[in-house]
Amino acid sequence: MMDIRTYLSQGKPLLFDGAMGTYFAAHPGRAEERCERANLTRPEEILRIHRAYLQADCRAIKTNTFAISGDLSDGNDETACDIVNAACHLARQAAQPYGAYVFADLGPAPRDHSRAPADLYQTQAQWFLEQGVTHFLVETLSGDEGLPELAGWLKEKNPDAFLMVSFAVDHSGMTSAGRLGSELYRFASELAGVDAVGFNCVSGPRHLLKYIQTLELSDKPLTVMPNAGYPTVLGRRTVFGGQPDYFAGQIAQIVQAGASIVGGCCGTTPEHIAQTAQALKEPLPKCTVSAPKKLLKPAANASNSLWEKLEAGKRVIAVELDPPVDDDSAGFWEGVQALRGSGADAVTIADCPIGRPRADSSLLACKIKRDIGIEPLPHMTCRDRNLNATKALLLGLSMEGVHNVLVVTGDPIPTEDRNEVKSVFNFNSRKLARFVHMLNENTLRTPFRIYGALNLNARNFDVELRRAQEKEACGVSGFLTQPVLSAEALDNLKLAHKTLRGKILGGIFPVVSHRNACFLNNEISGMRVCDEIIHLYEGKDRDAAEALAVTVSTAIAKEIFPYTDGYYLMTPFRRVALMEHIIQNIQQSCIS
């Protein structure tokens, strides 16, 4: 058999097979059966599917091992190894009479699992090498975790091994983890141990064609294996309606646009591959799809007074006001108006704090910007929105002139509600920040200024600070801290000031009673009130406690002044009048 690098150097496209998983599931009685296990239980059926694709004239097939990383992450190493060994035997038996290449198929490592992706990939790769398989495809990836380690390890084990990497992007070029496909493509292309890079799954052929035309292609072979259109559900079956002749025509244009390795993902049958093979033997059609033009001109209303003031070195005051719990918003709007009149530069709005439903922070932010004119800073959690919903919300905010957002992971749904209401965490705050940053780079005319949370009261502040640095790497340009109500929090703020590049708004929470201080210390995550402050409130009535809150908050503002770029005030129990008094004192003592 010709060396694969020699084959690719001839300029002929290498055609892969289609989707083992969906084709197997389409057989009667197979919809609920896992196809990888069929290597052991139904080997003749898997062998027939391999041969059907080979008879359709593909020149490379994938082993039936896509989901093995899941077995390994669950600790089923022995079963996983048996499946891999059987899959290699079946694929090589099928490919040998046709002189086709066999690729070890490695699906994505499970997210947020204790076993590292590099370990999962290398364990599988070792088994494949022991079976004599030296061509590898790591596919349907949403990120690059484990790739550098696998590439280096594989070349060390077998310098002749061929490693192909494929990412799964939607029609906008984003992965499910909020990563930009072009960034991942560029990163993988620069890895010395990676031989080919491209995209598969999620998108149909036309969308992947349009997408690769926007890329600056590397000198490594480009692989493109789209789905056969998009899925629909008929009864209990998921079906793909894309027609083989249409698929074949689009693949021909994909080759004309620069791909040298092509094939099919979900929904592609032997008929899709057969018609593609025929289309690739004919003169390639002229590709008529032009790359979309990136919008470069800023929007007409591209102003952000909060960030402009921070950039100019002026101190700012942002005040948090909890959103309403019902549809009576009169008190909320009165509070916003009062804060604006007192000199606050921004109003921050929590996104369903402690996991309980309140008025939507983004909708309130739009109305604040439109009707009141003060800069809103809505909190955006990773809870209860998937990637599509998050992008839609961000686009709407930008259209309304809201260009600041605080990204936080968010509190989970309270325990008693979980049986009926499920939390949705599509990503964490760092991934969300990176996603917003990528929209800034590629979609939005006016960028968001991304802020993150910084917990000065974290038990292990070294870890918290390291995460803050990761947030900065993901596009965060400023931080709102938890309240400084202890000497430890102040020390951590000083360290953050030395370490972080972003702007820091120091947290100030006016404690309003002895009971309030005890509650914060014992029942609110991320809060720490020192004993000295707690003792100050003993025996104080409401008026005396509020007067003390003003005094203590002003003193804290003075103390944190050298280590901050502004203040983040949190309103207790909607006591806006108290906040007005504190703002006035801070302006007189710290800003003017």
Side-chain angles (χ1 to χ4, degrees), residues 287-344:
C287 192
T288 58
V289 179
S290 58
K293 295 181 180 179
K294 184 179 178 181
L295 296 172
L296 298 177
K297 292 183 179 180
N301 62 342
S303 64
N304 186 338
S305 61
L306 178 64
W307 185 254
E308 290 164 5
K309 194 169 180 178
L310 283 167
E311 280 283 85
K314 299 178 181 179
R315 301 186 72 78
V316 302
I317 297 177
V319 186
E320 182 168 309
L321 197 59
D322 279 343
V325 296
D326 53 31
D327 60 353
D328 182 4
S329 60
F332 180 82
W333 302 123
E334 290 172 5
V336 175
Q337 291 277 18
L339 292 171
R340 180 176 183 269
S342 68

Side-chain angles (χ1 to χ4, degrees), residues 440-550:
N440 286 343
E441 295 284 317
N442 296 276
T443 303
L444 300 170
R445 292 188 295 166
T446 304
F448 281 97
R449 288 298 170 181
I450 311 167
Y451 298 83
L454 179 65
N455 184 5
L456 300 177
N457 304 300
R459 292 186 177 221
N460 189 340
F461 189 68
D462 288 340
V463 173
E464 179 73 8
L465 195 55
R466 186 165 63 249
R467 286 177 179 164
Q469 291 176 294
E470 292 173 1
K471 291 177 183 179
E472 287 188 324
C474 293
V476 168
S477 52
F479 293 92
L480 278 62
T481 80
Q482 286 284 46
V484 179
L485 290 166
S486 68
E488 294 83 3
L490 179 60
D491 288 341
N492 289 337
L493 175 62
K494 293 176 182 178
L495 181 58
H497 174 70
K498 291 180 182 178
T499 306
L500 301 175
R501 303 187 310 272
K503 307 293 184 180
I504 297 178
L505 304 189
I508 298 175
F509 186 96
V511 177
V512 294
S513 70
H514 183 264
R515 180 181 178 183
N516 179 220
C518 294
F519 176 81
L520 294 173
N521 241 6
N522 289 278
E523 299 201 39
I524 300 299
S525 176
M527 299 289 267
R528 167 78 175 92
V529 186
C530 68
D531 292 340
E532 292 83 355
I533 291 178
I534 293 176
H535 293 325
L536 290 175
Y537 285 86
E538 290 179 351
K540 297 288 192 298
D541 61 17
R542 173 165 176 156
D543 290 341
E546 284 205 356
L548 180 59
V550 174

